[in-house]
Each structure stands twice: as C-alpha cells, then as structure tokens.
C-alpha cells in the first residue's frame, strides 16, 4: 500500500476502507509517512469529507494507536465527560466532585491545550502543590478510594491524534466536523470509561458557531461512542457569551468553589445540573434526570460535594485549605474595574473577544511553550440582557502588569454591544441527544 495512492483516492472523492485507514494511521504514528503527505490527506478529507464508516474507522485506528487505558480495576460504572471548549468553561472542577459525591466514579483524563485560558489541568494547578502527573496505578487506586481523580493525558494516549491535531492546527484543517469528532472521540475511547457525556458548545466562543453544526457534531460523536459500545449522551449548550462570570484560571477555580457552596452563577449551575444529571443516569445512580438533579442539589446543600473537592485536591498533593480559603489561590497584583461609558441593555458579548482579553493578560497559551499566569483574568458583572447605567462596572480585571491591563482594557470595549430595548436571553441548554435520539429545548 502507498500513501500516495490513498491521497489520490481521497482527493478524487472515493471512500477509504478500514485497512487503508489502519495503514495510514499506523505508518504515520511510526514516522514512516511524512507530515507533507498527511497534510495533503487532511486537506483532501477537508474538501471531500468522510463517510460514517470512514470516520468510525479513523476514530478506532487513532484510539488504538497507543495505550488503551484499562479501568477494569475500578469497581462500578466509570463515566467521563468532555466539553468541546469555550470561554469561562470551568465545568469539570465543580461537576466532577458533585457527581462523585453522588456515588459515580470519576476517572478522567484531561488536557492543557491552547486557548484563551488553560485547560482543566492548568486550572487545577491553581491549588498550590496539585499534580496531575500521577501514575496510572495512583489514578486507579485514588478512584477506588475516594471516587475521583483527574490526571493529565499520558503521552501514549492516542498518539496518532496528538500528531495529527498538531498538524491540522498549522494546515487550516481543524474545523472539519468528522475530523473534530474522530479526534475527540479517539481520546475518549482510549481513556477507558464505560459511558461518556459530551458538552457540545455552540455560539461565538465555540468551534461550532451555529446551532445546526453543533447538533450535527454532537450526533456524529454520539454515534461514534455508541458504535464503540459506550453509552454516549451529548448536551448542546450555549457559548454565545462566557459561561458564568469568571474567565481566567484561578478566578474560575474560585467560581467553581462558590458553585459548590451554592453561590455560583445561575447559568453555570444550570449546566452543572444538566450534565451531572446525565452522568448520574448513565452511571446507573439515578433513574431519571429529575431524580438525579435532586441528588445533586442535596450534595451541594449538605457540603459533601465541596468536601469531595477538598479530598480530591489533597489526594493529588494540593493544598486543600484553598478550597475553604480562596485567598490561598494565586492572586494578581493589579485589580481594576472597567466602567461603562454607555447606557442600555447588553445586547451581545462577543465571547471570543473576552477570551482574547484573558489571553492578553497572560491567562492562556498562544503556543505550546507559553507559560500561563494562573492569577489573571476577568470577572464579568454584566451579561446579555442586563441593564447597565453609564459609570457602572462592567467587569473587574485581574492583571500582572499595567501594560497587560491596558491591552486587555482596550480589547474589552470591543466585546459589548448595547441597545435601548429589553433583550431576550438565549436558552443555555439547546438540546440533549442520547445515541441518536434528540430532545431539543
Ligand atoms: N479538540 C480536539 O481534541 N480535537 C479537535 O479536532 C478539535 C478540538
């Protein structure tokens, strides 16, 4: 078999068979197919697409390109959760302890990633001493003991995807539905959970800018998971404005803690409740979403979700005292308000622009090598639909230097649009999809 012939075949619009896809992925992972040929293949796929069969074969080949984690040493149903990402998305930090406190085992691998803020792993490192670089043995032992662990993705988890994703990133081939679906699902399938709950974002701060594309991506991923024998559910949620109020690593951790104390922003709480309910149902702990939500409400009210977070942080070497005293989290030296010059209803917040503010403050990575400043970011005080008087604070900025503060402030003013008429707020949850059964909100 020759890669050259496979490129021609795909370029001309034909479907690749399983043997061809297995060959391409195995040889590329082993370094015997060069990046320039794989780039041509990715571009051919970008324009010609893939059939469901090809997408499934590609996903399985990438999942099997490294170690497939064996979680059979953990008793009970293991449920994983994945978000397609967005601005202010700190969901795992509150959701994982909530679900674990209700008795579903959380054995989750997470990434750092490029973006406006760090990934879950970076955010968790806001707890002084916390480490996600633990061994698989420690990971499994911890989940059996306290019901929760989050570790960094091992180098051997779907290495084909790691190489391909980096290549797609520099060849303008990331934003293709089947490539995104197979990339995400290959890592999820290799991570060994029994059930997967996906949070597929839609809006200006998401990969999928429109709702139809988000539903299509959710469906594609749910079908891939179901075919691989995993119970897969997808929640499609709004990312047309940041989630919650906090954007920035330690600030988001603080907001997740407040949410576990029952004092979180309403939209973030709603998302945690919706995803958590799906996880409890998938994990066999609840018979219905309604029953699951009651259980989740109870573990927040009686403090068991918060103490589960503290035990989790401590088990991975972190300072659990920061769960109860958030002044122990990284603090930025400069804290300033941004006052509104305009008056009216917030019509729109360009989510990406808020993300760029966080990046300019140093809260995210522009390249894999960039260092993140965990202390910086923004707290939004006004969201879409809120009325703002001139001179009122729109947001508080936490910065490491005057220069970065000025750059972020200049960018911030581009994000908000005001109008004189009341604005109808978008629904946060757009729909839920189980296998290929859709319920739209
Ligand atoms: N996240 C991934 O892991 N892969 C993609 O292709 C896009 C987002």
């Amino acid at each position: 078999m020759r890669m050259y012939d496979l490129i021609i075949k795909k370029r001309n619009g034909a479907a690749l068979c399983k043997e061809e896809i297995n060959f391409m992925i195995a040889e590329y992972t082993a370094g015997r197919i060069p990046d320039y040929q794989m780039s041509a293949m990715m571009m051919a796929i970008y324009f010609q697409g893939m059939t469901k069969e090809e997408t499934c074969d590609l996903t399985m080949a990438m999942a099997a390109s490294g170690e497939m984690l064996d979680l059979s040493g953990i008793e009970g149903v293991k449920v994983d959760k994945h978000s397609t990402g967005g601005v202010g998305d700190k969901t795992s930090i509150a959701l994982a302890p909530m679900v674990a406190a209700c008795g579903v085992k959380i054995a989750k691998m997470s990434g750092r990633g490029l973006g406006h803020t760090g990934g879950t792993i970076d955010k968790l490192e806001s707890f002084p001493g916390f480490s996600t670089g633990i061994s698989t043995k420690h990971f499994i032992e911890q989940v059996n003991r306290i019901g929760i662990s989050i570790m960094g993705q091992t180098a051997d988890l779907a290495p084909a995807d790691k190489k391909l994703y980096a290549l797609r990133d520099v060849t303008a081939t990331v934003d293709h539905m089947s490539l995104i679906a197979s990339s995400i699902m290959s890592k999820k399938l290799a991570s060994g959970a029994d059930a997967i709950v996906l949070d597929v974002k839609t809006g200006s701060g998401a990969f999928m800018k429109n709702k139809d594309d988000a539903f299509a991506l959710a469906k594609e991923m749910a079908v891939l998971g179901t075919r691989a024998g995993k119970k897969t559910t997808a929640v499609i949620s709004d990312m047309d404005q940041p989630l919650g109020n906090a954007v920035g690593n330690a600030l988001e951790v603080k907001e997740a803690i407040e949410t576990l104390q029952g004092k979180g922003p309403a939209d973030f709480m709603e998302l945690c409740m919706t995803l958590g309910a799906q996880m409890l149902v998938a994990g066999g702990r609840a018979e219905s979403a309604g029953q699951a939500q009651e259980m989740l409400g109870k573990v927040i009210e009686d403090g068991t979700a918060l103490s589960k977070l503290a035990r989790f942080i401590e088990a991975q070497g972190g300072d659990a005292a920061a769960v109860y005293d958030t002044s122990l989290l990284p603090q930025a030296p400069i804290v300033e308000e941004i006052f509104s010059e305009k008056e009216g209803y917030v019509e729109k917040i360009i989510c990406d622009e808020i993300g760029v503010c966080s990046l300019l403050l140093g809260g995210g990575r522009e390249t894999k090598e960039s260092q993140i400043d965990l202390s910086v970011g923004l707290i939004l005080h006004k969201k879409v639909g809120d009325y703002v008087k001139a001179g009122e604070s729109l947001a508080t900025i936490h910065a490491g230097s005057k220069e970065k503060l000025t750059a972020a402030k200049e960018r911030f003013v581009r994000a908000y649009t005001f109008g004189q008429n009341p604005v109808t707020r978008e629904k946060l949850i757009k729909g839920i999809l189980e296998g290929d059964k859709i319920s739209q909100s």
Side-chain angles (χ1 to χ4, degrees), residues 158-367:
D161 174 66
K162 196 169 186 190
K163 240 181 126 175
L164 255 184
Y165 193 16
L167 187 73
R168 287 168 52 217
D169 202 27
V170 292
T171 54
T173 50
V174 167
D175 57 337
H176 183 277
M177 193 100 60
S178 305
L179 290 174
I180 295 175
S182 58
S183 166
I184 292 173
M185 291 308 287
S186 67
K187 288 176 286 226
K188 292 290 114 188
L189 298 179
S191 301
D194 306 304
I196 303 164
V197 174
L198 301 161
D199 178 13
V200 180
K201 306 284 194 192
T202 175
S204 66
F207 266 122
M208 296 297 140
K209 303 290 177 208
N210 75 62
K211 200 171 135 188
D212 290 347
D213 286 348
F215 271 90
L217 176 64
K219 186 157 185 204
E220 195 143 353
M221 290 199 286
V223 167
L224 288 172
T226 307
R227 276 196 182 195
K230 313 279 182 188
K231 183 172 168 40
T232 310
T233 310
V235 170
I236 296 88
S237 71
D238 185 66
M239 191 35 80
D240 225 15
Q241 61 174 334
L243 179 64
N245 303 326
V247 180
N249 300 279
L251 296 172
E252 291 185 34
V253 167
K254 184 166 181 264
E255 186 162 87
I257 291 171
E258 286 161 0
T259 302
L260 292 176
Q261 293 167 329
K263 300 182 292 191
D267 60 343
F268 182 50
M269 183 58 114
E270 184 185 350
L271 184 66
C272 288
M273 284 291 188
T274 307
L275 292 168
Q278 295 304 323
M279 291 172 82
L280 293 197
V281 171
R285 282 274 152 182
E287 305 218 322
S288 66
Q291 187 194 3
Q293 296 212 359
E294 265 181 41
M295 292 167 72
L296 292 162
K298 194 155 174 289
V299 293
I300 289 186
E301 216 177 288
D302 66 15
T304 40
L306 190 69
S307 56
K308 186 64 82 179
L309 174 68
R311 284 193 78 194
F312 156 52
I313 297 303
E314 190 178 23
Q316 291 184 218
D319 183 2
V323 171
Y324 301 102
D325 176 4
T326 53
S327 70
L328 298 172
L329 296 170
Q331 308 284 329
I334 303 172
V335 179
E336 259 193 46
E337 302 298 313
I338 302 187
F339 299 106
S340 180
E341 288 176 7
K342 299 190 178 139
E343 182 141 346
Y345 293 93
V346 179
E347 265 182 356
K348 200 172 163 187
I349 303 175
I350 305 171
C351 209
D352 272 350
E353 289 293 332
I354 301 294
V356 171
C357 290
S358 162
L359 197 60
L360 291 171
L361 289 165
R365 277 190 192 84
E366 272 176 280
T367 69

Side-chain angles (χ1 to χ4, degrees), residues 389-406:
K389 290 191 191 132
E392 252 193 295
S393 174
L394 286 174
T396 308
I397 298 204
H398 296 241
S401 72
K402 281 276 172 208
E403 296 72 44
K404 288 184 176 165
L405 175 78
T406 308

Side-chain angles (χ1 to χ4, degrees), residues 1-7 9 16-27 32-33 37 41:
M1 219 178 275
R2 290 193 317 156
M3 183 64 174
Y4 179 82
D5 298 323
L6 303 189
I7 297 170
K9 190 170 174 185
L16 302 176
C17 70
K18 187 173 185 164
E19 288 67 35
E20 289 167 332
I21 289 175
N22 286 346
F23 162 83
M24 172 175 93
I25 292 302
E27 293 298 291
R32 288 188 289 268
I33 289 174
Q37 280 192 311
M41 175 60 87

